[in-house]
Amino acid sequence: GAQDAAQEFDADVNIQMPANGVEDQKRICQDLLAQGIDGIAISPIDPDNQGDLLAEIGQRTNMITHDSDAPESERLCYIGMDNYTAGRMCGELVKEAMPEGGSVMIFVGRLGQANSRLRRQGVIDELMDREPDASRYDEPSAGAIKGEKYTILDTRTDGFDFGKAKAQAQDAVAKYDDLGCMVGLFAYNPPLMLDAVREAGKVGKIKIVAFDEHDRSLQGIQDKEIYGTVVQNPYKYGYESVRVLAGLAQGDTSVIPENKILYIPARRIRNDNVEAFQAELQRLLSLENSKDTTAVTSEAAGDKSP
């Protein structure tokens, strides 16, 4: 999406993916600022503890957030889905998978970033049949959360450690005989949960609800081993981020919505529409692979570098 927008809006785009957490993200952003970059679209890893970095970026260039927001920062706009609403959509899939009610476990990489907190809260509020309130927060250390039909046994975080993520899924399967559904809120969680359920011989007995479009999650849905998933639209995140930053670099402030939020709707994928969704993804990836993207992924930032 970012590469397509770079060509359409004549922008030199530098795509960076911090592999080593907060410090790596800080180093990359400061390097870009030193180059005189015209704008940065960032998905803050830990917005509550990155205030100084976000303030520095916001003071020195045009800054927008995407995927994960930092509403207390100086960001000009947030581009992404409404993570709380998406969490409630995930909760609706749990209700479909387990309509008689039961016990649920939630798995996620960490709760320090806004997107994961909001997704988790959306799942909980939907299963507890609460009125929508994105500001609500159930502390994960407060024990089981019980409603009329559903009980949230626990929330397990793994710090993006895949080995730990699988071990926690295995432990949950072994520990709770009545476990009815496992919910994975980051892309890598559901495939590891599925491995644990398969190893225990409980495919079908323990339902799995996923997030994002990991290949193994989509195959699991096709094979009816995973009930469904809530997917984002990362193509649009990239496209809209570059469109907005390119406009700002050229002095066009009309690209910023009045409420400073550009929501990209999430979608539910089940067995009845998973093949069509896979075909859509393949089409986008085929288009990407057919392009010469050298000009828009160069490391040097030019005069028009959002």
Side-chain angles (χ1 to χ4, degrees):
Q3 292 165 353
D4 279 356
Q7 295 184 6
E8 183 172 343
F9 299 105
D10 190 24
D12 180 7
V13 175
N14 183 331
I15 299 172
Q16 297 279 352
M17 300 183 185
N20 298 310
V22 171
E23 287 305 313
D24 200 19
Q25 190 172 53
K26 179 179 180 180
R27 176 190 57 78
I28 289 170
C29 290
Q30 290 179 332
D31 286 348
L32 292 171
L33 290 172
Q35 296 174 33
I37 205 88
D38 288 323
I40 289 179
I42 183 171
S43 179
I45 295 173
D46 186 1
D48 290 344
N49 295 303
Q50 288 180 291
D52 290 345
L53 174 64
L54 297 174
E56 181 180 3
I57 298 171
Q59 290 163 10
R60 295 179 60 181
T61 193
N62 294 316
M63 179 182 70
I64 64 174
T65 56
H66 58 186
D67 182 39
S68 184
D69 196 11
E72 303 304 317
S73 72
E74 297 184 41
R75 59 97 163 126
L76 300 174
C77 178
Y78 164 66
I79 296 173
M81 69 179 179
D82 180 334
N83 279 283
Y84 178 76
T85 298
R88 295 199 73 124
M89 292 168 67
C90 198
E92 289 170 354
L93 288 177
V94 174
K95 288 180 173 180
E96 292 176 14
M98 201 167 58
E100 300 304 315
S103 297
V104 179
M105 286 279 289
I106 297 175
F107 299 84
V108 65
R110 55 174 292 155
L111 291 172
Q113 55 205 67
N115 58 351
S116 56
R117 289 199 305 269
L118 290 167
R119 290 177 197 179
R120 172 182 174 270
Q121 195 61 49
V123 172
I124 294 170
D125 287 357
E126 181 62 33
L127 294 180
M128 296 300 108
D129 291 320
R130 297 169 175 169
E131 290 297 316
D133 181 0
S135 67
R136 187 186 291 117
Y137 187 61
D138 286 276
E139 291 289 345
S141 58
I145 304 169
K146 297 183 178 181
E148 290 187 10
K149 292 180 65 175
Y150 298 93
T151 297
I152 311 294
L153 296 170
D154 198 2
T155 298
R156 301 283 180 87
T157 59
D158 53 64
F160 305 106
D161 181 330
F162 291 6
K164 183 178 179 180
K166 182 174 179 180
Q168 288 186 332
Q170 291 170 322
D171 177 71
V173 172
K175 183 176 180 179
Y176 298 103
D177 290 334
D178 63 339
L179 180 58
C181 185
M182 304 170 79
V183 178
L185 296 182
F186 281 1
Y188 64 85
N189 291 120
L192 298 174
M193 288 156 34
L194 179 57
D195 287 343
V197 171
R198 282 174 174 167
E199 291 166 6
K202 293 187 175 182
V203 172
K205 181 178 179 182
I206 298 177
K207 309 297 183 182
I208 297 175
V209 171
F211 223 100
D212 292 325
E213 63 274 12
H214 194 291
D215 287 345
R216 291 188 58 208
S217 293
L218 297 178
Q219 187 61 50
I221 294 171
Q222 199 166 13
D223 296 338
K224 297 186 178 180
E225 294 179 315
I226 294 177
Y227 180 79
T229 189
V230 174
V231 298
Q232 307 180 65
N233 191 335
Y235 177 90
K236 287 289 285 184
Y237 293 2
Y239 182 92
E240 293 295 336
S241 293
V242 172
R243 179 186 68 82
V244 169
L245 287 178
L248 291 173
Q250 296 164 9
D252 180 8
T253 58
S254 69
V255 294
I256 299 293
E258 186 175 346
N259 66 353
K260 298 185 177 181
I261 294 175
L262 180 56
Y263 280 137
I264 310 295
R267 289 184 286 174
R268 283 179 288 256
I269 304 299
R270 308 175 183 83
N271 181 261
D272 62 353
N273 62 351
V274 66
E275 289 188 13
F277 180 68
Q278 287 172 309
E280 178 186 335
L281 288 180
Q282 188 57 47
R283 178 182 63 81
L284 290 172
L285 291 172
S286 297
L287 286 172
E288 177 186 350
N289 292 334
S290 70
K291 296 172 184 173
D292 175 6
T293 60
T294 304
V296 299
T297 58
S298 60
E299 291 185 359
D303 290 340
K304 291 184 178 179
S305 302

PDB file of all heavy atoms in Angstrom, residues 36-72:
ATOM      1  N   GLY A  36      16.459  14.821   7.833  1.00  0.00           N
ATOM      2  CA  GLY A  36      15.541  15.871   7.417  1.00  0.00           C
ATOM      3  C   GLY A  36      14.288  15.339   6.756  1.00  0.00           C
ATOM      4  O   GLY A  36      13.737  15.962   5.847  1.00  0.00           O
ATOM      5  N   ILE A  37      13.818  14.208   7.229  1.00  0.00           N
ATOM      6  CA  ILE A  37      12.627  13.572   6.664  1.00  0.00           C
ATOM      7  C   ILE A  37      11.429  14.525   6.775  1.00  0.00           C
ATOM      8  O   ILE A  37      11.316  15.292   7.723  1.00  0.00           O
ATOM      9  CB  ILE A  37      12.362  12.244   7.420  1.00  0.00           C
ATOM     10  CG1 ILE A  37      11.585  11.255   6.556  1.00  0.00           C
ATOM     11  CG2 ILE A  37      11.667  12.463   8.733  1.00  0.00           C
ATOM     12  CD1 ILE A  37      12.458  10.399   5.695  1.00  0.00           C
ATOM     13  N   ASP A  38      10.542  14.479   5.785  1.00  0.00           N
ATOM     14  CA  ASP A  38       9.384  15.378   5.774  1.00  0.00           C
ATOM     15  C   ASP A  38       8.189  14.865   6.551  1.00  0.00           C
ATOM     16  O   ASP A  38       7.212  15.589   6.745  1.00  0.00           O
ATOM     17  CB  ASP A  38       8.946  15.650   4.326  1.00  0.00           C
ATOM     18  CG  ASP A  38       9.932  16.552   3.607  1.00  0.00           C
ATOM     19  OD1 ASP A  38      10.456  17.467   4.249  1.00  0.00           O
ATOM     20  OD2 ASP A  38      10.163  16.323   2.404  1.00  0.00           O
ATOM     21  N   GLY A  39       8.225  13.608   6.975  1.00  0.00           N
ATOM     22  CA  GLY A  39       7.113  13.080   7.744  1.00  0.00           C
ATOM     23  C   GLY A  39       7.373  11.642   8.148  1.00  0.00           C
ATOM     24  O   GLY A  39       8.112  10.918   7.473  1.00  0.00           O
ATOM     25  N   ILE A  40       6.787  11.231   9.248  1.00  0.00           N
ATOM     26  CA  ILE A  40       6.936   9.862   9.736  1.00  0.00           C
ATOM     27  C   ILE A  40       5.566   9.314  10.124  1.00  0.00           C
ATOM     28  O   ILE A  40       4.816   9.966  10.851  1.00  0.00           O
ATOM     29  CB  ILE A  40       7.883   9.795  10.955  1.00  0.00           C
ATOM     30  CG1 ILE A  40       9.326  10.064  10.517  1.00  0.00           C
ATOM     31  CG2 ILE A  40       7.789   8.437  11.658  1.00  0.00           C
ATOM     32  CD1 ILE A  40      10.325  10.047  11.667  1.00  0.00           C
ATOM     33  N   ALA A  41       5.264   8.119   9.634  1.00  0.00           N
ATOM     34  CA  ALA A  41       4.095   7.361  10.089  1.00  0.00           C
ATOM     35  C   ALA A  41       4.626   6.242  10.974  1.00  0.00           C
ATOM     36  O   ALA A  41       5.419   5.417  10.525  1.00  0.00           O
ATOM     37  CB  ALA A  41       3.326   6.793   8.903  1.00  0.00           C
ATOM     38  N   ILE A  42       4.222   6.223  12.219  1.00  0.00           N
ATOM     39  CA  ILE A  42       4.790   5.293  13.191  1.00  0.00           C
ATOM     40  C   ILE A  42       3.694   4.494  13.881  1.00  0.00           C
ATOM     41  O   ILE A  42       2.613   5.014  14.163  1.00  0.00           O
ATOM     42  CB  ILE A  42       5.639   6.061  14.236  1.00  0.00           C
ATOM     43  CG1 ILE A  42       6.303   5.084  15.230  1.00  0.00           C
ATOM     44  CG2 ILE A  42       4.816   7.110  14.972  1.00  0.00           C
ATOM     45  CD1 ILE A  42       7.313   5.755  16.149  1.00  0.00           C
ATOM     46  N   SER A  43       3.991   3.223  14.121  1.00  0.00           N
ATOM     47  CA  SER A  43       3.142   2.390  14.968  1.00  0.00           C
ATOM     48  C   SER A  43       3.870   2.249  16.301  1.00  0.00           C
ATOM     49  O   SER A  43       4.770   1.421  16.437  1.00  0.00           O
ATOM     50  CB  SER A  43       2.929   1.011  14.325  1.00  0.00           C
ATOM     51  OG  SER A  43       2.124   0.204  15.157  1.00  0.00           O
ATOM     52  N   PRO A  44       3.522   3.071  17.288  1.00  0.00           N
ATOM     53  CA  PRO A  44       4.280   3.073  18.548  1.00  0.00           C
ATOM     54  C   PRO A  44       4.222   1.715  19.240  1.00  0.00           C
ATOM     55  O   PRO A  44       3.146   1.145  19.418  1.00  0.00           O
ATOM     56  CB  PRO A  44       3.573   4.142  19.385  1.00  0.00           C
ATOM     57  CG  PRO A  44       2.800   4.973  18.404  1.00  0.00           C
ATOM     58  CD  PRO A  44       2.410   4.032  17.312  1.00  0.00           C
ATOM     59  N   ILE A  45       5.377   1.211  19.625  1.00  0.00           N
ATOM     60  CA  ILE A  45       5.435  -0.090  20.293  1.00  0.00           C
ATOM     61  C   ILE A  45       4.934   0.012  21.730  1.00  0.00           C
ATOM     62  O   ILE A  45       4.233  -0.870  22.222  1.00  0.00           O
ATOM     63  CB  ILE A  45       6.874  -0.633  20.252  1.00  0.00           C
ATOM     64  CG1 ILE A  45       7.286  -0.918  18.799  1.00  0.00           C
ATOM     65  CG2 ILE A  45       7.014  -1.903  21.102  1.00  0.00           C
ATOM     66  CD1 ILE A  45       8.742  -1.292  18.633  1.00  0.00           C
ATOM     67  N   ASP A  46       5.301   1.105  22.397  1.00  0.00           N
ATOM     68  CA  ASP A  46       4.915   1.295  23.808  1.00  0.00           C
ATOM     69  C   ASP A  46       4.636   2.782  24.021  1.00  0.00           C
ATOM     70  O   ASP A  46       5.432   3.495  24.621  1.00  0.00           O
ATOM     71  CB  ASP A  46       6.037   0.820  24.723  1.00  0.00           C
ATOM     72  CG  ASP A  46       5.644   0.847  26.195  1.00  0.00           C
ATOM     73  OD1 ASP A  46       4.496   1.210  26.495  1.00  0.00           O
ATOM     74  OD2 ASP A  46       6.495   0.510  27.034  1.00  0.00           O
ATOM     75  N   PRO A  47       3.483   3.272  23.533  1.00  0.00           N
ATOM     76  CA  PRO A  47       3.220   4.716  23.549  1.00  0.00           C
ATOM     77  C   PRO A  47       3.260   5.341  24.932  1.00  0.00           C
ATOM     78  O   PRO A  47       3.663   6.494  25.076  1.00  0.00           O
ATOM     79  CB  PRO A  47       1.826   4.839  22.925  1.00  0.00           C
ATOM     80  CG  PRO A  47       1.214   3.485  23.045  1.00  0.00           C
ATOM     81  CD  PRO A  47       2.351   2.518  22.961  1.00  0.00           C
ATOM     82  N   ASP A  48       2.887   4.595  25.959  1.00  0.00           N
ATOM     83  CA  ASP A  48       2.887   5.157  27.312  1.00  0.00           C
ATOM     84  C   ASP A  48       4.290   5.495  27.793  1.00  0.00           C
ATOM     85  O   ASP A  48       4.462   6.370  28.654  1.00  0.00           O
ATOM     86  CB  ASP A  48       2.239   4.177  28.295  1.00  0.00           C
ATOM     87  CG  ASP A  48       0.741   4.046  28.079  1.00  0.00           C
ATOM     88  OD1 ASP A  48       0.165   4.922  27.398  1.00  0.00           O
ATOM     89  OD2 ASP A  48       0.152   3.071  28.577  1.00  0.00           O
ATOM     90  N   ASN A  49       5.286   4.811  27.251  1.00  0.00           N
ATOM     91  CA  ASN A  49       6.670   5.035  27.672  1.00  0.00           C
ATOM     92  C   ASN A  49       7.550   5.578  26.553  1.00  0.00           C
ATOM     93  O   ASN A  49       8.787   5.545  26.663  1.00  0.00           O
ATOM     94  CB  ASN A  49       7.264   3.728  28.212  1.00  0.00           C
ATOM     95  CG  ASN A  49       6.565   3.270  29.475  1.00  0.00           C
ATOM     96  OD1 ASN A  49       6.515   4.004  30.461  1.00  0.00           O
ATOM     97  ND2 ASN A  49       5.993   2.079  29.454  1.00  0.00           N
ATOM     98  N   GLN A  50       6.939   6.051  25.479  1.00  0.00           N
ATOM     99  CA  GLN A  50       7.695   6.636  24.372  1.00  0.00           C
ATOM    100  C   GLN A  50       7.352   8.105  24.178  1.00  0.00           C
ATOM    101  O   GLN A  50       7.510   8.644  23.090  1.00  0.00           O
ATOM    102  CB  GLN A  50       7.420   5.864  23.071  1.00  0.00           C
ATOM    103  CG  GLN A  50       8.049   4.483  23.013  1.00  0.00           C
ATOM    104  CD  GLN A  50       7.744   3.765  21.705  1.00  0.00           C
ATOM    105  OE1 GLN A  50       6.606   3.385  21.451  1.00  0.00           O
ATOM    106  NE2 GLN A  50       8.754   3.593  20.878  1.00  0.00           N
ATOM    107  N   GLY A  51       6.888   8.743  25.249  1.00  0.00           N
ATOM    108  CA  GLY A  51       6.458  10.131  25.138  1.00  0.00           C
ATOM    109  C   GLY A  51       7.541  11.061  24.629  1.00  0.00           C
ATOM    110  O   GLY A  51       7.289  11.931  23.787  1.00  0.00           O
ATOM    111  N   ASP A  52       8.771  10.893  25.111  1.00  0.00           N
ATOM    112  CA  ASP A  52       9.863  11.768  24.696  1.00  0.00           C
ATOM    113  C   ASP A  52      10.162  11.602  23.216  1.00  0.00           C
ATOM    114  O   ASP A  52      10.372  12.594  22.501  1.00  0.00           O
ATOM    115  CB  ASP A  52      11.121  11.480  25.514  1.00  0.00           C
ATOM    116  CG  ASP A  52      10.988  11.916  26.972  1.00  0.00           C
ATOM    117  OD1 ASP A  52      10.049  12.687  27.272  1.00  0.00           O
ATOM    118  OD2 ASP A  52      11.808  11.474  27.800  1.00  0.00           O
ATOM    119  N   LEU A  53      10.195  10.370  22.741  1.00  0.00           N
ATOM    120  CA  LEU A  53      10.460  10.125  21.323  1.00  0.00           C
ATOM    121  C   LEU A  53       9.358  10.708  20.457  1.00  0.00           C
ATOM    122  O   LEU A  53       9.624  11.394  19.458  1.00  0.00           O
ATOM    123  CB  LEU A  53      10.592   8.630  21.056  1.00  0.00           C
ATOM    124  CG  LEU A  53      10.717   8.245  19.572  1.00  0.00           C
ATOM    125  CD1 LEU A  53      11.995   8.803  18.980  1.00  0.00           C
ATOM    126  CD2 LEU A  53      10.650   6.729  19.397  1.00  0.00           C
ATOM    127  N   LEU A  54       8.107  10.449  20.823  1.00  0.00           N
ATOM    128  CA  LEU A  54       6.989  10.946  20.021  1.00  0.00           C
ATOM    129  C   LEU A  54       6.943  12.470  20.026  1.00  0.00           C
ATOM    130  O   LEU A  54       6.624  13.093  19.006  1.00  0.00           O
ATOM    131  CB  LEU A  54       5.673  10.363  20.536  1.00  0.00           C
ATOM    132  CG  LEU A  54       5.547   8.835  20.437  1.00  0.00           C
ATOM    133  CD1 LEU A  54       4.271   8.359  21.107  1.00  0.00           C
ATOM    134  CD2 LEU A  54       5.588   8.376  18.987  1.00  0.00           C
ATOM    135  N   ALA A  55       7.298  13.082  21.164  1.00  0.00           N
ATOM    136  CA  ALA A  55       7.352  14.545  21.228  1.00  0.00           C
ATOM    137  C   ALA A  55       8.440  15.077  20.310  1.00  0.00           C
ATOM    138  O   ALA A  55       8.251  16.082  19.600  1.00  0.00           O
ATOM    139  CB  ALA A  55       7.604  14.999  22.660  1.00  0.00           C
ATOM    140  N   GLU A  56       9.577  14.408  20.292  1.00  0.00           N
ATOM    141  CA  GLU A  56      10.684  14.833  19.422  1.00  0.00           C
ATOM    142  C   GLU A  56      10.294  14.744  17.952  1.00  0.00           C
ATOM    143  O   GLU A  56      10.547  15.668  17.165  1.00  0.00           O
ATOM    144  CB  GLU A  56      11.913  13.958  19.685  1.00  0.00           C
ATOM    145  CG  GLU A  56      13.123  14.349  18.846  1.00  0.00           C
ATOM    146  CD  GLU A  56      14.340  13.470  19.106  1.00  0.00           C
ATOM    147  OE1 GLU A  56      14.228  12.511  19.912  1.00  0.00           O
ATOM    148  OE2 GLU A  56      15.391  13.736  18.502  1.00  0.00           O
ATOM    149  N   ILE A  57       9.651  13.643  17.585  1.00  0.00           N
ATOM    150  CA  ILE A  57       9.223  13.489  16.186  1.00  0.00           C
ATOM    151  C   ILE A  57       8.198  14.558  15.832  1.00  0.00           C
ATOM    152  O   ILE A  57       8.302  15.224  14.788  1.00  0.00           O
ATOM    153  CB  ILE A  57       8.624  12.089  15.951  1.00  0.00           C
ATOM    154  CG1 ILE A  57       9.657  10.997  16.215  1.00  0.00           C
ATOM    155  CG2 ILE A  57       8.112  11.972  14.507  1.00  0.00           C
ATOM    156  CD1 ILE A  57       9.070   9.596  16.211  1.00  0.00           C
ATOM    157  N   GLY A  58       7.196  14.733  16.703  1.00  0.00           N
ATOM    158  CA  GLY A  58       6.126  15.688  16.426  1.00  0.00           C
ATOM    159  C   GLY A  58       6.612  17.122  16.326  1.00  0.00           C
ATOM    160  O   GLY A  58       6.039  17.934  15.594  1.00  0.00           O
ATOM    161  N   GLN A  59       7.669  17.453  17.053  1.00  0.00           N
ATOM    162  CA  GLN A  59       8.201  18.807  17.021  1.00  0.00           C
ATOM    163  C   GLN A  59       9.086  19.064  15.804  1.00  0.00           C
ATOM    164  O   GLN A  59       9.248  20.212  15.381  1.00  0.00           O
ATOM    165  CB  GLN A  59       8.996  19.066  18.299  1.00  0.00           C
ATOM    166  CG  GLN A  59       8.118  19.174  19.549  1.00  0.00           C
ATOM    167  CD  GLN A  59       8.895  19.013  20.831  1.00  0.00           C
ATOM    168  OE1 GLN A  59      10.132  18.995  20.826  1.00  0.00           O
ATOM    169  NE2 GLN A  59       8.179  18.872  21.955  1.00  0.00           N
ATOM    170  N   ARG A  60       9.640  18.008  15.235  1.00  0.00           N
ATOM    171  CA  ARG A  60      10.617  18.184  14.162  1.00  0.00           C
ATOM    172  C   ARG A  60      10.081  17.860  12.774  1.00  0.00           C
ATOM    173  O   ARG A  60      10.702  18.243  11.766  1.00  0.00           O
ATOM    174  CB  ARG A  60      11.854  17.338  14.457  1.00  0.00           C
ATOM    175  CG  ARG A  60      12.595  17.797  15.705  1.00  0.00           C
ATOM    176  CD  ARG A  60      13.803  16.935  16.005  1.00  0.00           C
ATOM    177  NE  ARG A  60      14.778  16.929  14.931  1.00  0.00           N
ATOM    178  CZ  ARG A  60      15.913  16.225  14.969  1.00  0.00           C
ATOM    179  NH1 ARG A  60      16.202  15.498  16.035  1.00  0.00           N
ATOM    180  NH2 ARG A  60      16.757  16.262  13.949  1.00  0.00           N
ATOM    181  N   THR A  61       8.947  17.163  12.701  1.00  0.00           N
ATOM    182  CA  THR A  61       8.411  16.825  11.386  1.00  0.00           C
ATOM    183  C   THR A  61       6.926  16.497  11.522  1.00  0.00           C
ATOM    184  O   THR A  61       6.366  16.512  12.621  1.00  0.00           O
ATOM    185  CB  THR A  61       9.164  15.627  10.769  1.00  0.00           C
ATOM    186  OG1 THR A  61       8.825  15.511   9.377  1.00  0.00           O
ATOM    187  CG2 THR A  61       8.853  14.325  11.484  1.00  0.00           C
ATOM    188  N   ASN A  62       6.273  16.213  10.402  1.00  0.00           N
ATOM    189  CA  ASN A  62       4.874  15.770  10.429  1.00  0.00           C
ATOM    190  C   ASN A  62       4.828  14.329  10.914  1.00  0.00           C
ATOM    191  O   ASN A  62       5.476  13.453  10.333  1.00  0.00           O
ATOM    192  CB  ASN A  62       4.262  15.860   9.027  1.00  0.00           C
ATOM    193  CG  ASN A  62       4.156  17.288   8.526  1.00  0.00           C
ATOM    194  OD1 ASN A  62       3.748  18.175   9.278  1.00  0.00           O
ATOM    195  ND2 ASN A  62       4.506  17.510   7.269  1.00  0.00           N
ATOM    196  N   MET A  63       4.061  14.078  11.958  1.00  0.00           N
ATOM    197  CA  MET A  63       3.967  12.727  12.507  1.00  0.00           C
ATOM    198  C   MET A  63       2.513  12.265  12.542  1.00  0.00           C
ATOM    199  O   MET A  63       1.634  12.972  13.020  1.00  0.00           O
ATOM    200  CB  MET A  63       4.520  12.675  13.932  1.00  0.00           C
ATOM    201  CG  MET A  63       4.412  11.277  14.561  1.00  0.00           C
ATOM    202  SD  MET A  63       5.002  11.181  16.268  1.00  0.00           S
ATOM    203  CE  MET A  63       3.734  12.115  17.132  1.00  0.00           C
ATOM    204  N   ILE A  64       2.294  11.062  12.010  1.00  0.00           N
ATOM    205  CA  ILE A  64       1.003  10.405  12.159  1.00  0.00           C
ATOM    206  C   ILE A  64       1.262   9.018  12.740  1.00  0.00           C
ATOM    207  O   ILE A  64       2.367   8.485  12.643  1.00  0.00           O
ATOM    208  CB  ILE A  64       0.228  10.296  10.827  1.00  0.00           C
ATOM    209  CG1 ILE A  64       0.974   9.397   9.824  1.00  0.00           C
ATOM    210  CG2 ILE A  64      -0.030  11.663  10.235  1.00  0.00           C
ATOM    211  CD1 ILE A  64       0.186   9.139   8.552  1.00  0.00           C
ATOM    212  N   THR A  65       0.255   8.454  13.378  1.00  0.00           N
ATOM    213  CA  THR A  65       0.349   7.088  13.866  1.00  0.00           C
ATOM    214  C   THR A  65      -0.522   6.197  13.000  1.00  0.00           C
ATOM    215  O   THR A  65      -1.525   6.641  12.443  1.00  0.00           O
ATOM    216  CB  THR A  65      -0.105   6.974  15.332  1.00  0.00           C
ATOM    217  OG1 THR A  65      -1.435   7.496  15.454  1.00  0.00           O
ATOM    218  CG2 THR A  65       0.826   7.737  16.257  1.00  0.00           C
ATOM    219  N   HIS A  66      -0.099   4.944  12.864  1.00  0.00           N
ATOM    220  CA  HIS A  66      -0.948   3.974  12.178  1.00  0.00           C
ATOM    221  C   HIS A  66      -0.833   2.627  12.868  1.00  0.00           C
ATOM    222  O   HIS A  66       0.160   2.314  13.498  1.00  0.00           O
ATOM    223  CB  HIS A  66      -0.631   3.883  10.678  1.00  0.00           C
ATOM    224  CG  HIS A  66       0.785   3.526  10.348  1.00  0.00           C
ATOM    225  ND1 HIS A  66       1.270   3.523   9.055  1.00  0.00           N
ATOM    226  CD2 HIS A  66       1.831   3.171  11.123  1.00  0.00           C
ATOM    227  CE1 HIS A  66       2.548   3.162   9.065  1.00  0.00           C
ATOM    228  NE2 HIS A  66       2.904   2.948  10.301  1.00  0.00           N
ATOM    229  N   ASP A  67      -1.892   1.859  12.781  1.00  0.00           N
ATOM    230  CA  ASP A  67      -2.023   0.549  13.405  1.00  0.00           C
ATOM    231  C   ASP A  67      -2.219   0.659  14.918  1.00  0.00           C
ATOM    232  O   ASP A  67      -3.204   0.196  15.461  1.00  0.00           O
ATOM    233  CB  ASP A  67      -0.824  -0.347  13.066  1.00  0.00           C
ATOM    234  CG  ASP A  67      -0.966  -1.740  13.660  1.00  0.00           C
ATOM    235  OD1 ASP A  67      -2.099  -2.269  13.645  1.00  0.00           O
ATOM    236  OD2 ASP A  67       0.024  -2.295  14.140  1.00  0.00           O
ATOM    237  N   SER A  68      -1.249   1.260  15.611  1.00  0.00           N
ATOM    238  CA  SER A  68      -1.389   1.496  17.050  1.00  0.00           C
ATOM    239  C   SER A  68      -1.291   2.998  17.300  1.00  0.00           C
ATOM    240  O   SER A  68      -0.382   3.652  16.776  1.00  0.00           O
ATOM    241  CB  SER A  68      -0.293   0.747  17.818  1.00  0.00           C
ATOM    242  OG  SER A  68      -0.472   0.895  19.216  1.00  0.00           O
ATOM    243  N   ASP A  69      -2.192   3.523  18.085  1.00  0.00           N
ATOM    244  CA  ASP A  69      -2.278   4.968  18.256  1.00  0.00           C
ATOM    245  C   ASP A  69      -1.568   5.433  19.524  1.00  0.00           C
ATOM    246  O   ASP A  69      -1.242   4.654  20.422  1.00  0.00           O
ATOM    247  CB  ASP A  69      -3.750   5.391  18.326  1.00  0.00           C
ATOM    248  CG  ASP A  69      -3.951   6.880  18.105  1.00  0.00           C
ATOM    249  OD1 ASP A  69      -2.997   7.567  17.689  1.00  0.00           O
ATOM    250  OD2 ASP A  69      -5.088   7.356  18.340  1.00  0.00           O
ATOM    251  N   ALA A  70      -1.294   6.735  19.566  1.00  0.00           N
ATOM    252  CA  ALA A  70      -0.775   7.412  20.758  1.00  0.00           C
ATOM    253  C   ALA A  70      -1.532   8.731  20.867  1.00  0.00           C
ATOM    254  O   ALA A  70      -0.999   9.797  20.557  1.00  0.00           O
ATOM    255  CB  ALA A  70       0.728   7.648  20.635  1.00  0.00           C
ATOM    256  N   PRO A  71      -2.784   8.684  21.299  1.00  0.00           N
ATOM    257  CA  PRO A  71      -3.654   9.865  21.263  1.00  0.00           C
ATOM    258  C   PRO A  71      -3.174  11.020  22.125  1.00  0.00           C
ATOM    259  O   PRO A  71      -3.570  12.159  21.889  1.00  0.00           O
ATOM    260  CB  PRO A  71      -5.016   9.341  21.754  1.00  0.00           C
ATOM    261  CG  PRO A  71      -4.705   8.080  22.475  1.00  0.00           C
ATOM    262  CD  PRO A  71      -3.518   7.495  21.797  1.00  0.00           C
ATOM    263  N   GLU A  72      -2.332  10.758  23.115  1.00  0.00           N
ATOM    264  CA  GLU A  72      -1.829  11.833  23.971  1.00  0.00           C
ATOM    265  C   GLU A  72      -0.600  12.519  23.385  1.00  0.00           C
ATOM    266  O   GLU A  72      -0.091  13.472  23.957  1.00  0.00           O
ATOM    267  CB  GLU A  72      -1.486  11.281  25.359  1.00  0.00           C
ATOM    268  CG  GLU A  72      -2.640  10.578  26.064  1.00  0.00           C
ATOM    269  CD  GLU A  72      -3.856  11.476  26.192  1.00  0.00           C
ATOM    270  OE1 GLU A  72      -3.691  12.670  26.526  1.00  0.00           O
ATOM    271  OE2 GLU A  72      -4.985  10.984  25.950  1.00  0.00           O
TER     272      GLU A  72
END
